[in-house]
């Protein structure tokens, strides 16, 4: 994300659309991090666990990927991975409302990195349909608690977006939460269900 930020991928107000398109085309040929270019496939792992159940009679493992958070800053809202907290701080202060009622407020501030999926609209359940995996009982038992979900895709224009959320403290809930950072925009092409111990890919699903 930092490597992309320093490359100024957004359009400058003094830049014509034609010049901007030309500059992006040139940037797409360059490596921005290690061997990565703008059009290369990226893979992201969601640290939250999904849910699984096994039908021993049918020999089928059903796995539902973990629930993804929502990023409402993008369009009508898209799904996103659990934010990666870069830094966090907390403090306590005395707050009051318009009527002079006072409460001790716990305030937290976080700097985060977020991966948002532009083609996973919030509420569409595109990412959470169960996977049906044919496995013998001994293999299904050995996988218990080890299944991981990977999201593969490519960067989506404009690549980066500001992310923020704010929870205002209330008299009955004197907690203030401020979160801000940068969201990496990704178009998901495939979801892989993987054995977290061995890396074996158990199932794949393709998205447009």
């Amino acid at each position: 994300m930092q490597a992309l930020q320093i490359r100024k991928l957004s359009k400058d107000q003094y830049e014509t659309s034609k010049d901007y398109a030309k500059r992006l085309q040139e940037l797409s040929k360059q490596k921005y991090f290690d061997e990565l270019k703008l059009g290369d496939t990226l893979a992201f792992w969601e640290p939250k666990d999904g849910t699984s159940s096994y039908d021993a009679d049918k020999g089928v493992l059903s796995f539902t990927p973990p629930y993804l958070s929502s990023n409402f800053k993008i369009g009508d809202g898209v799904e996103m991975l659990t934010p990666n907290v870069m830094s966090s701080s907390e403090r306590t202060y005395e707050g009051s409302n318009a009527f002079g009622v006072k409460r001790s407020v716990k305030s937290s501030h976080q700097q985060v990195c977020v991966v948002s999926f532009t083609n996973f609209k919030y509420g569409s359940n595109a990412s959470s349909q169960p996977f049906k995996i044919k496995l013998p009982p001994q293999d299904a038992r050995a996988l218990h608690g080890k299944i991981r979900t990977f999201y593969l895709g490519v960067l989506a224009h404009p690549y980066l977006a500001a992310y923020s959320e704010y929870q205002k403290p209330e008299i009955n809930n004197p907690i203030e939460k401020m979160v801000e950072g940068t969201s990496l925009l990704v178009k998901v092409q495939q979801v892989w269900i993987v054995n977290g111990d061995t890396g074996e890919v158990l199932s794949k699903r393709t998205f447009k």
Side-chain angles (χ1 to χ4, degrees):
M1 193 172 288
Q2 292 172 337
L4 291 171
Q5 286 174 324
I6 65 175
R7 276 164 175 72
K8 193 185 170 188
L9 295 173
S10 59
K11 182 179 178 298
D12 188 283
Q13 63 174 325
Y14 303 106
E15 193 173 28
T16 66
S17 297
K18 183 177 180 181
D19 288 342
Y20 176 57
K22 182 179 179 181
R23 182 165 67 84
L24 274 188
Q25 187 175 24
E26 290 300 316
L27 285 173
S28 67
K29 300 175 184 177
Q30 302 173 11
K31 298 172 184 177
Y32 68 88
F33 185 77
D34 286 342
E35 296 298 313
L36 290 176
K37 297 181 181 179
L38 287 181
D40 288 345
T41 300
L42 306 174
F44 300 92
W45 167 54
E46 169 53 53
K48 288 188 296 190
D49 287 333
T51 57
S52 63
S53 61
Y54 185 68
D55 187 326
D57 294 327
K58 296 181 179 178
V60 174
L61 175 72
S62 296
F63 178 79
T64 302
Y67 168 78
L68 297 180
S69 303
S70 55
N71 183 353
F72 287 108
K73 296 290 182 180
I74 303 175
D76 295 327
V78 299
E79 293 182 331
M80 67 181 191
L81 296 182
T82 300
N84 182 33
V85 179
M86 308 299 291
S87 65
S88 180
S89 62
E90 295 182 350
R91 69 185 182 101
T92 301
Y93 66 91
E94 185 176 73
S96 62
N97 65 7
F99 301 100
V101 180
K102 296 182 179 181
R103 290 287 188 275
S104 178
V105 178
K106 292 183 178 180
S107 178
S108 66
H109 180 258
Q110 291 183 337
Q111 286 283 344
V112 300
C113 286
V114 173
V115 177
S116 300
F117 299 139
T118 59
N119 56 328
F120 279 5
K121 298 300 180 184
Y122 177 69
S124 68
N125 296 318
S127 64
S128 60
Q129 295 300 311
F131 284 74
K132 303 292 185 180
I133 305 167
K134 193 78 173 175
L135 287 172
Q138 65 272 20
D139 290 350
R141 187 188 300 274
L143 275 171
H144 184 73
K146 300 177 181 178
I147 303 176
R148 298 291 179 262
T149 307
F150 282 82
Y151 298 86
L152 281 71
V154 294
L155 294 175
H157 188 267
Y159 310 113
L160 299 172
Y163 178 79
S164 65
E165 60 178 279
Y166 178 71
Q167 177 181 312
K168 183 179 179 181
E170 305 286 348
I171 290 298
N172 295 328
N173 185 34
I175 297 176
E176 181 181 47
K177 182 179 180 182
M178 295 172 283
V179 181
E180 59 183 351
T182 304
S183 182
L184 186 69
L185 307 183
V186 174
K187 180 181 179 182
V188 178
Q189 296 174 321
Q190 288 189 335
V191 173
W192 289 11
I193 306 304
V194 175
N195 181 328
D197 277 358
T198 66
E200 177 190 0
V201 179
L202 305 169
S203 185
K204 297 180 183 180
R205 185 173 292 161
T206 300
F207 296 88
K208 294 182 178 180

